[in-house]
Structure formats: C-alpha cells, structure tokens
Amino acid sequence: MNHDHSKKTPDGASFDRSGSQDSLDELSMDDYWKELENIHETRGNNHEDRVAIVVKEPDEGELEEEWLKEAGLSNLFGESSGDSQESVVFLSTLTRTQKAAVEKRVETVTQTMRKKNKQYQIPDVRDIFRLQNDSKGKVYDENEPSTAKTSENKNETQDETKDPKFSLGTDDQKSPLEDMQFPDTDINLEISFAEQAANLKDSSVGKMCKGGGGDTLLPNFRLPKDKTGTTKIGDLAPQDMKKVCSLALIELTALYEILGTEFKQQKAVKIKTKDSGLFGVPLSVLLEQDQKKVPGTKIPLIFQKLIAQIEEATLETEGLLRIPGVAARIKSLCQELEAKFYEGTFNWENVKQHDAASLLKLFIRELPQPLLTVEYLKAFQDVQNLPTKKQQLQALNLLVLLLPEANRDTLKVLLEFLQRVIDHRDKNKMTLKNVAMVMAPNLFTFHGLGSKTIEQSEFVMAAGTANVMRFLIQYQKLLWTVSVFLRGGRNQKFHKQGI
C-alpha cells in the first residue's frame, strides 16, 4: 500500500476544518506523513499479533442512558427513579446549558423506555425539571408565584436551546460576563465554559484567538490570580474528584452542543487482552504488576524507563522523536524486553536513543485501548472543530478531567517529556510544531479501531489532530486545572487531599 503522502500532501481545502489548519503549511505536514509511514511499516511487521477493537453500535437510547449514569443521574430513570430527589436538587444547581444537555438525554431515554414498555416508573422529563432550588435552598414548584423566579425568566429569554415546555433558568445566577469581563487570553474559571460560549457565540469577543500561525502565534493563555489559589487534579479527594468528573461530562456535552459539534461517546466491545507483559497490555494490568515491584507507582515502569533512556544521552540530538529506529531491530528489542525487563537482565546499553524513542511511541500505539480512551478519542479529535482557540482549550481541559486516572497520569508524564524535548529545539530542531506532527499519529490514529477507518479519515484529521497535539503540549500546565464552577457548585463542599 502506498503511503507516500509527502508527494500528495492535501491542500487546505481538503480539511473540513474551522481555522486551525491555517497554522500548518504543506511543507510542515511532511513529518506527519513520514511518521505515518513508519507506523504502517511497524504494524506490517507485527500484524499477526494485532487484535482490532470493535466499536459497538449502540441501541436506541443506550448512549444517552450510559451518559446519564456517568453523570451520576442514573436515578432519574429505571427502578430507582422514585428516589430521584437528590438528583433533582443537583439539577437545580446546573446552568441553563448544562440543564439542556441533561434534559435532551433524559427525554431520549424516556421515549426509548416507553417504546420498550418498561415496567418500572418512567418520569416525565417535564417533572424532573419542574422543581428548582432558590438561593435559600427552598424547593418550589414552577407554578408557584415567586419573585425568586424573576432571574429565571430573564435567563430563559436568552436561552437559544430551550423548549417552551421546560423551565431551564439558572435560579439566582446572573448571565455570564454580566458582572465581569476577562481579556481574551484570560481563562475564566468561575463561569461555566458553555455559558461563556452561549453568551459570546454571536459577539466579536474572542475572535483574536481564532486561526493563527506557528509556535509564536499560539495565544498566551493564562489563569487570572485567585485569592483561594488554583486547584489542580490531585488536590481533591477521590470522592470529590468523582463529583467533578460527573459535572465535567455534563459541561463538556453542553459546550459541544452550544457550539454545534456533536458529542457522542464510543463504546468498545470487550475483547480478550494480555494479562501480563509490556506491550499491548492494558494500563491497569501494567500498573497492577508494576505496583508489586514499586508500591504506589502511577506510571508504567517501562514507560518511565524508556523516557529515562532517551534523556540519558542528550535531548539535543537532531531529529529526536522524528528519526525512527530500524524496524527489525525494534521488533527484536520488544521481544527481548518482554522476556527480560522484569527479571532485570535486559541490557539497556544495546538500546540506541532513536530505538528508545521508537519503543516509546510503539508502547503508546500498542495499548489495547488508546491512551485518550475509546470513549473520548473522537471528542479529542473534534476539539479541532470548535470555533476559537479558547474554546478548544476549555474543551481539552474538560476532556483531561474525564480520562481515567492511569491514562491521565501517563499522558501528563508524556507531555512533560515532550516539552523538555522542545526546550532543546535550537539543537535538536524539534519545535512544538515538529513534535506535534510526529506524536499526533501515535495518539490519534489508533490501530484498534481498524485500518479502514484510519485510511478514510487520514487526510481530514491530519492537520486537525496535529493542532490538538500542539494544544496538549503548549497548554499542559492549564489543562490539569479544576475550574471553580466545577468544584464549587452551590450545594457542594470540596476538600483538598490531606485536609
């Protein structure tokens, strides 16, 4: 199969994108296509060991039902729907855009259940959203005359997604940006990203961050100083992080939908995977066996060792990460590592720097499920379709929050390493753009989803995913931040670890 894409690099019109492909000229795409050729060559050598993941076609309402479960709202339907008061109270704290996202899925599940003639109680979506909490915590009915609903009515007139049947007001919450204005490069963590998008959708604010050019033209996004300090992932206790993730899922869905991008999680059919070894082993299995050797480790030992091996020489090597090791030698080293790594008898002196870099990328590609997960890989890819760079950054922040802990921790170590490589760009000639080009195919063209899908989408996703990769690297220090509106809420108290 011919993969000489460098000779037929698609022009800008080939990418159905919204602006970010402007930052990647045809010449700069060469690294992407060459990396893809190296990947195909490596896959050819190991084809006999490959098992493709089957993405399950969901039944009607299945994705919506799963979404509600992940959002912590499973008691809005099913056998436990009679005990939904806690969820109703939680719903009263949501913004109008978040409520619209929940409402849409509750309605779909409700209709599906009615079709299937489920025997348990099926709540009417209008009943679920009828109860609202006022600022004092009192629950009142939507038919009750109350001055507390004034602000709701005000917000309803601004809600572009509302249905006249439903009350989607945000109680006493003022319209976003009513009281505060932030520069385009400041990331407002106090107000829902989706609410910001709803209010700015038709304005000119934020457009300076659209499109762009090389490394120096990426906006210098920053977090405004907060009196209480910035909360990072890991600062919160596990039970609080679970709450944050539930709200982050609702928020991400609302953000995508207000910006006209479909948000649909994918589900993989469970397949038999290796229960030991190094390459092609699930992260959870790797960590389980690694923690027997190094208690408490959160990053696979082989992953840590490969990065250390690359850095042991020098990060100033020209073409680092871009120049591949010899495919046959990489295959041989893989087999030797599988047999000797845990025994401690593997001779690392035989591993050249470019070999270690190739093995690191191979490790990422060979994971049974992508590092960015089957569930959210498409959502990561679709970040490229969001209108502004600030909104792309906001979406990535929410997606990072939603990753399983092992995936998130491993991604963080990878991005930190990639930044260290870029820090030596004057010597190694690997700029942010170059590194993004080389790494994007390794994270986004996942083998388990089948080569046909990859072939058909190659040209479309190339520039877009490379730009998403640039964002992940460039803004990694911002992406592990937990926004105030996610951890605060109105009725939730969160505690930092150890406090």
Side-chain angles (χ1 to χ4, degrees):
M1 186 178 294
N2 182 17
H3 293 284
D4 189 8
H5 297 301
S6 61
K7 295 181 181 179
K8 52 179 180 181
T9 306
D11 56 28
S14 299
F15 300 106
D16 183 16
R17 293 265 302 105
S18 57
S20 64
Q21 79 272 13
D22 297 338
S23 62
L24 301 168
D25 55 41
E26 292 185 9
L27 182 60
S28 71
M29 291 299 298
D30 282 351
D31 285 344
Y32 184 99
W33 305 126
K34 288 175 182 176
E35 181 67 18
L36 209 55
E37 287 180 41
N38 294 333
I39 291 173
H40 283 298
E41 182 181 353
T42 304
R43 286 179 182 167
N45 290 337
N46 296 288
H47 183 73
E48 68 278 3
D49 299 326
R50 192 161 315 287
V51 178
I53 285 179
V54 178
V55 176
K56 184 179 182 295
E57 284 297 324
D59 297 330
E60 183 182 2
E62 186 178 354
L63 282 180
E64 290 79 6
E65 188 171 327
E66 187 66 28
W67 185 93
L68 287 167
K69 288 179 181 177
E70 290 188 30
L73 297 171
S74 58
N75 56 4
L76 291 181
F77 62 91
E79 297 176 348
S80 60
S81 60
D83 186 28
S84 60
Q85 184 61 33
E86 183 180 348
S87 290
V88 171
V89 173
F90 170 67
L91 289 172
S92 71
T93 70
L94 299 183
T95 66
R96 55 185 173 150
T97 50
Q98 291 169 351
K99 285 181 180 178
V102 174
E103 174 190 311
K104 178 179 177 181
R105 282 149 185 84
V106 170
E107 190 164 21
T108 300
V109 172
T110 300
Q111 291 172 352
T112 302
M113 286 181 171
R114 292 186 194 282
K115 288 180 184 178
K116 294 179 178 179
N117 295 317
K118 295 285 187 181
Q119 297 303 307
Y120 44 73
Q121 178 184 357
I122 303 172
D124 190 301
V125 67
R126 288 168 290 185
D127 295 333
I128 294 173
F129 285 90
R130 185 168 287 132
L131 294 175
Q132 303 290 333
N133 273 356
D134 63 13
S135 58
K136 296 180 181 179
K138 174 188 174 185
V139 178
Y140 57 86
D141 186 86
E142 66 174 356
N143 295 318
E144 177 186 345
S146 170
T147 56
K149 295 188 65 180
T150 304
S151 61
E152 286 187 14
N153 296 333
K154 177 180 178 181
N155 280 337
E156 281 179 1
T157 62
Q158 300 173 359
D159 188 1
E160 299 178 18
T161 63
K162 75 177 181 69
D163 186 309
K165 295 182 294 183
F166 307 117
S167 174
L168 293 179
T170 56
D171 306 332
D172 58 344
Q173 180 174 327
K174 294 184 179 181
S175 175
L177 306 184
E178 186 173 316
D179 287 334
M180 58 182 73
Q181 293 292 333
F182 284 74
D184 267 359
T185 52
D186 280 6
I187 304 300
N188 182 346
L189 300 179
E190 298 182 22
I191 295 174
S192 153
F193 296 154
E195 289 296 313
Q196 294 179 48
N199 281 271
L200 301 179
K201 191 161 64 171
D202 298 321
S203 76
S204 60
V205 178
K207 289 185 179 178
M208 66 166 279
C209 294
K210 189 173 181 178
D215 298 358
T216 58
L217 294 182
L218 280 179
N220 185 26
F221 289 122
R222 68 184 188 89
L223 302 177
K225 290 185 178 180
D226 192 311
K227 293 179 181 178
T228 61
T230 302
T231 301
K232 296 288 188 178
I233 296 173
D235 287 343
L236 298 177
Q239 66 271 23
D240 292 332
M241 193 62 201
K242 185 177 180 180
K243 295 177 185 176
V244 165
C245 289
S246 294
L247 189 53
L249 176 60
I250 298 173
E251 174 67 13
L252 179 68
T253 307
L255 179 62
Y256 272 50
E257 291 181 351
I258 202 71
L259 295 174
T261 297
E262 182 184 31
F263 176 80
K264 185 176 290 186
Q265 294 164 277
Q266 294 179 301
K267 291 295 179 184
V269 174
K270 289 186 178 180
I271 59 171
K272 186 176 181 180
T273 57
K274 294 169 64 177
D275 55 9
S276 63
L278 298 175
F279 296 88
V281 179
L283 280 177
S284 58
V285 174
L286 272 173
L287 288 175
E288 185 178 344
Q289 63 187 23
D290 287 353
Q291 286 167 359
K292 293 176 182 177
K293 293 184 173 295
V294 183
T297 187
K298 292 187 175 183
I299 310 299
L301 296 179
I302 182 63
F303 194 79
Q304 296 182 50
K305 179 57 182 175
L306 287 171
I307 289 177
Q309 185 69 16
I310 296 169
E311 295 190 287
E312 189 175 291
T314 173
L315 292 181
E316 297 182 354
T317 305
E318 186 169 340
L320 185 60
L321 295 176
R322 178 174 55 81
I323 298 175
V326 177
R329 188 168 68 241
I330 298 303
K331 183 176 182 179
S332 175
L333 286 170
C334 275
Q335 294 171 345
E336 194 175 350
L337 277 166
E338 291 280 10
K340 299 179 179 180
F341 179 73
Y342 284 116
E343 294 179 359
T345 58
F346 182 80
N347 185 3
W348 285 96
E349 293 181 1
N350 294 333
V351 181
K352 299 177 181 179
Q353 190 178 40
H354 291 310
D355 293 340
S358 292
L359 287 166
L360 180 71
K361 292 184 290 184
L362 181 66
F363 173 87
I364 296 169
R365 296 196 306 272
E366 289 295 300
L367 288 170
Q369 293 202 22
L371 185 61
L372 302 179
T373 73
V374 169
E375 287 80 3
Y376 296 112
L377 183 62
K378 185 178 185 301
F380 271 98
Q381 294 169 344
D382 288 345
V383 165
Q384 61 184 294
N385 297 322
L386 303 183
T388 72
K389 284 182 166 58
K390 179 181 284 188
Q391 289 161 350
Q392 292 170 4
L393 176 59
Q394 291 169 337
L396 284 175
N397 172 230
L398 295 169
L399 281 164
V400 166
L401 286 169
L402 289 169
L403 289 175
E405 185 177 1
N407 297 63
R408 191 169 58 225
D409 290 343
T410 303
L411 176 65
K412 187 174 189 293
V413 169
L414 174 65
L415 295 177
E416 289 171 345
F417 163 68
L418 295 179
Q419 184 58 57
R420 293 195 295 273
V421 172
I422 294 166
D423 289 342
H424 293 81
R425 57 189 172 275
D426 289 344
K427 297 287 187 179
N428 60 31
K429 311 301 181 187
M430 295 300 290
T431 64
L432 172 61
K433 186 186 296 184
N434 296 136
V435 171
M437 285 291 171
V438 168
M439 294 306 299
N442 292 281
L443 266 74
F444 290 100
T445 56
F446 181 64
H447 73 78
L449 299 181
S451 59
K452 183 178 180 182
T453 302
I454 295 169
E455 292 298 324
Q456 290 176 347
S457 62
E458 250 177 19
F459 292 100
V460 176
M461 63 189 284
T465 55
N467 265 313
V468 174
M469 192 73 229
R470 283 204 309 160
F471 269 57
L472 286 169
I473 300 170
Q474 176 77 4
Y475 301 121
Q476 56 184 279
K477 291 183 179 179
L478 303 181
L479 295 179
W480 266 254
T481 302
V482 182
S483 295
V484 174
F485 71 86
L486 288 177
R487 70 179 190 267
R490 252 181 235 159
N491 302 318
Q492 302 178 62
K493 292 182 178 180
F494 289 77
H495 304 279
K496 290 194 175 184
Q497 291 270 38
I499 297 178

